[in-house]
Amino acid sequence: MLLALPATILVACLLVFPIAEATYYSFTSWNGETARFVGLSSYSQLLFHTTAIRQIFQNNLAVVLSIPVGLAFALVAAFLTSLKVPGWRPFRFIVFLPVALSWVVIGIIFSDFLTPGQGIDSLLGAVGLHAIALDWLGSTHTALPALLATFNWALFGINTVIFMTGLASIPPEVIEAARVDGAGFFTILRHIVMPLLGRFVRLAFLVTMISGFSGMFGLIYVMTAGGPGFSTTTLEFQIYQSAFTLGNFGQAAALGIFLLLIMLVVTFVINMIGRRKAADLW
Amino acid sequence: MVSARLPDILSPDALTGTEQLIAGRRRRHLAASITLLVIGVALIYPLVDVIIASFRFQGTGTFTLRYWRAVFHQMPVWHQLGVSALVTGASVAGVLAVSVPAGYAYAKLSFRGARVIFGVTIACMMIPVESMIIPEYANLAKVGLVGSVLGTVLVFVGLGIPLSVFLMASYFKSLPDALVESGLVDGAGHLRIFLSIMLPLALPAIVTIGVLEFLAVWNDLLIALLFLPIQSQTIAVGLAALQGNHILNTYVLVAGSVLSALPPMLVYMLFQRYLVAGLTMGVNR
């Protein structure tokens, strides 16, 4: 028991206690030092007051919705890699490489790549698409999609590797048996491969979500600073802004509790989907 | 066409004649290889493109090292790399020191409240950093630990514990109980068994969580930004701050970025398989 004591104390002081405090402070007007109880006012302000907050929630929704798209690409790549065709090892090395890069580095590289006249423009020009050369990060329409693409690019490799492990975990006999019983290719895919891969899909989704908290913050900080306007501000970034730019710690705490609730709801939904007969999903 | 993208074992024609099978497989493998090549090139292209550009004078074709030299004059890179190394090393050591014994305790010992405490610990994996960081900042400010390496390391260790304990516990659970029992029969205490029998066996898992923690801390922005003293920043924070200010030429920043990425890249190359193992360690149990 003593062996677990240091970890327990640290978790209690550094994680559990701050979350409890955040919950309390979200009901106060707090500047970091003195807190005055104001009930639900922070929350009602957040929910009913500003259009900015609506934009921010939409942006967070966009982040969550972009994840399945990224996962679908990773799944295709994992299928291909699982064939163990010539070149799969270098491929895995390359796609997994962004794991080693910080969000700051990725942000700096992609800011540069997406700058008008730089990498992406030359690339589009080379294939005759001069017409869609845009100021990707400078326009309210394209800044968020550009960030989401960068985000999913960075996590593509992790998810590919998770799915590869998943595919490798399916016993060949199971598939063989199904084929002997006359199951066609798509039947096997839908009723055997996908259900058995279910928990890996859940894992990949959650890993991406959790990475999103530090990841999107880093990318936004480096690439757009939340702009133009609020077009790339997410809850994570607004928490930082509220507390350290505006000095409104109470509002920041309330936003943090919102973020936690969103995380819990998404986790719950993902687990519910997993617990249903997985085959229904596909 | 679809079958060309899927493992042989799944393809409907895998039971046709052997020769046809081999020929078909070759064709499919070639198609798959080419597809992988295309995806790989597309993925790596932005990186390579930007890095090559950092060696060219103002976007022309002329080769130059000026941006790479400028990094060393315009940024305190050595100092920042040193801070990154110090904070990362201390955090990895801290996380290992508390998580490995805890993982063992939850996997092999039964004590009152173990289930609940373990449950709460791993549930903390789901806490978004931003949700707890504001009160954490206020708390550490009260005890004078904001703006210090110690405070920063404490926050990193706290954040690293849940996943590390979870992975260590999963790993220790997979080791046979008989090892512990035979130790007890021989009269060794639990501490002794942990140190001399279990610890050496757990080395792969220890390396895995060490690598995960290394990458998380080295690459972090938010914690270092808030908790380190302003004059001693990690290289990640240094780069991010300069990017925001638009003071430096972007290619100087690119050069700095590549430089900052060298240590984690080295770790990645040496320990790739531990990382792969760590990603999916918990999922099968």
Side-chain angles (χ1 to χ4, degrees):
Chain A
M1 190 196 143
L2 282 173
L3 290 173
L5 199 59
T8 307
I9 292 172
L10 287 173
V11 166
C13 297
L14 296 168
L15 298 173
V16 178
F17 184 56
I19 281 293
E21 282 180 297
T23 315
Y24 166 70
Y25 284 128
S26 69
F27 297 112
T28 67
S29 161
W30 181 39
N31 61 9
E33 290 187 357
T34 51
R36 192 168 49 82
F37 192 79
V38 294
L40 286 167
S41 124
S42 287
Y43 287 99
S44 62
Q45 246 179 20
L46 290 178
L47 283 181
F48 305 114
H49 203 57
T50 56
T51 49
I53 204 74
R54 199 174 313 137
Q55 169 91 60
I56 289 169
F57 277 110
Q58 277 169 13
N59 292 345
N60 270 71
L61 187 65
V63 175
V64 175
L65 292 181
S66 80
I67 297 175
V69 181
L71 292 188
F73 280 106
L75 200 51
V76 171
F79 269 129
L80 288 171
T81 320
S82 300
L83 287 168
K84 304 277 156 76
V85 293
W88 75 273
R89 269 176 200 282
F91 177 78
R92 190 182 70 176
F93 181 83
I94 284 182
V95 295
F96 201 39
L97 191 112
V99 152
L101 300 178
S102 68
W103 293 101
V104 171
V105 168
I106 292 169
I108 287 176
I109 299 220
F110 273 85
S111 295
D112 198 53
F113 187 70
L114 295 170
T115 303
Q118 306 279 3
I120 190 149
D121 281 1
S122 335
L123 188 67
L124 290 174
V127 292
L129 288 170
H130 303 275
I132 57 167
L134 295 167
D135 184 1
W136 296 98
L137 294 174
S139 147
T140 49
H141 298 294
T142 53
L144 187 64
L147 273 182
L148 294 178
T150 309
F151 174 65
N152 280 288
W153 174 89
L155 289 165
F156 180 82
I158 294 186
N159 293 328
T160 303
V161 171
I162 290 177
F163 292 146
M164 278 181 70
T165 314
L167 288 171
S169 76
I170 300 175
E173 309 87 61
V174 175
I175 290 162
E176 198 52 46
R179 193 161 37 230
V180 170
D181 289 348
F185 168 73
F186 283 106
T187 316
I188 292 176
L189 191 66
R190 183 168 174 277
H191 292 290
I192 298 178
V193 177
M194 283 312 180
L196 287 174
L197 217 52
R199 60 177 202 264
F200 290 90
V201 176
R202 278 208 313 276
L203 175 74
F205 198 99
L206 290 178
V207 165
T208 311
M209 274 282 286
I210 294 171
S211 315
F213 297 123
S214 54
M216 285 307 286
F217 176 81
L219 288 183
I220 294 167
Y221 189 93
V222 169
M223 293 174 76
T224 62
F230 280 93
S231 64
T232 57
T233 302
T234 61
L235 262 177
E236 301 89 298
F237 194 70
Q238 187 56 41
I239 290 169
Y240 174 83
Q241 295 282 54
S242 292
F244 299 102
T245 313
L246 307 172
N248 192 342
F249 279 55
Q251 189 190 54
L255 286 168
I257 295 304
F258 262 123
L259 188 62
L260 182 64
L261 291 176
I262 292 175
M263 183 67 200
L264 292 178
V265 168
V266 173
T267 310
F268 182 74
V269 170
I270 299 278
N271 281 326
M272 286 312 284
I273 292 173
R275 223 161 272 153
R276 271 174 35 195
K277 282 208 91 177
D280 298 348
L281 231 183
W282 307 96
Chain B
M1 218 192 87
V2 177
S3 67
R5 303 180 156 210
L6 292 162
D8 277 309
I9 194 127
L10 298 179
S11 60
D13 56 350
L15 292 181
T16 53
T18 320
E19 280 172 17
Q20 204 187 335
L21 185 72
I22 291 170
R25 186 179 290 174
R26 273 213 190 110
R27 261 203 314 280
R28 282 201 300 277
H29 280 190
L30 186 66
S33 280
I34 292 171
T35 317
L36 285 186
L37 184 70
V38 171
I39 299 177
V41 169
L43 280 172
I44 206 77
Y45 181 81
L47 279 183
V48 175
D49 179 78
V50 172
I51 292 171
I52 289 176
S54 74
F55 286 104
R56 285 183 178 158
F57 182 67
Q58 289 179 351
T60 63
T62 324
F63 177 82
T64 176
L65 281 176
R66 61 156 48 210
Y67 305 120
W68 283 78
R69 285 214 194 89
V71 179
F72 295 93
H73 302 305
Q74 299 178 359
M75 272 178 70
V77 275
W78 294 116
H79 179 67
Q80 290 174 342
L81 284 170
V83 174
S84 284
L86 173 68
V87 171
T88 306
S91 302
V92 170
V95 162
L96 291 178
V98 299
S99 303
V100 178
Y104 174 73
Y106 292 125
K108 293 293 181 210
L109 313 176
S110 49
F111 52 92
R112 272 185 64 180
R115 264 163 182 269
V116 176
I117 302 173
F118 182 64
V120 171
T121 303
I122 62 172
C124 286
M125 276 193 273
M126 293 297 158
I127 298 178
V129 196
E130 291 86 358
S131 297
M132 45 64 76
I133 207 66
I134 308 295
E136 184 108 306
Y137 183 85
N139 292 345
L140 290 186
K142 265 178 218 149
V143 293
L145 285 175
V146 166
S148 76
V149 172
L150 179 64
T152 313
V153 170
L154 261 181
V155 179
F156 276 128
V157 171
L159 285 170
I161 289 174
L163 178 67
S164 307
V165 167
F166 173 64
L167 292 180
M168 283 318 300
S170 301
Y171 192 83
F172 279 123
K173 266 184 202 141
S174 73
L175 298 177
D177 286 338
L179 289 171
V180 182
E181 283 150 19
S182 68
L184 288 174
V185 169
D186 291 346
H190 271 294
L191 188 64
R192 183 72 197 289
I193 295 171
F194 168 65
L195 289 176
S196 55
I197 304 176
M198 299 309 256
L199 211 52
L201 289 173
L203 203 59
I206 294 173
V207 173
T208 299
I209 64 172
V211 171
L212 288 173
E213 182 70 7
F214 178 97
L215 293 177
V217 177
W218 185 279
N219 290 336
D220 171 83
L221 173 65
L222 180 62
I223 308 297
L225 183 69
L226 293 181
F227 290 92
L228 277 176
I230 224 110
Q231 70 279 9
S232 288
Q233 292 293 1
T234 59
I235 186 127
V237 176
L239 287 165
L242 288 169
Q243 166 83 8
N245 290 342
H246 300 289
I247 296 171
L248 292 192
N249 182 295
T250 51
Y251 292 121
V252 178
L253 283 172
V254 169
S257 298
V258 175
L259 202 65
S260 81
L262 292 180
M265 295 286 274
L266 186 69
V267 167
Y268 167 67
M269 284 179 204
L270 291 175
F271 298 109
Q272 192 194 357
R273 82 194 163 88
Y274 291 95
L275 270 176
V276 173
L279 267 183
T280 48
M281 215 187 223
V283 82
N284 287 320
R285 283 174 259 267

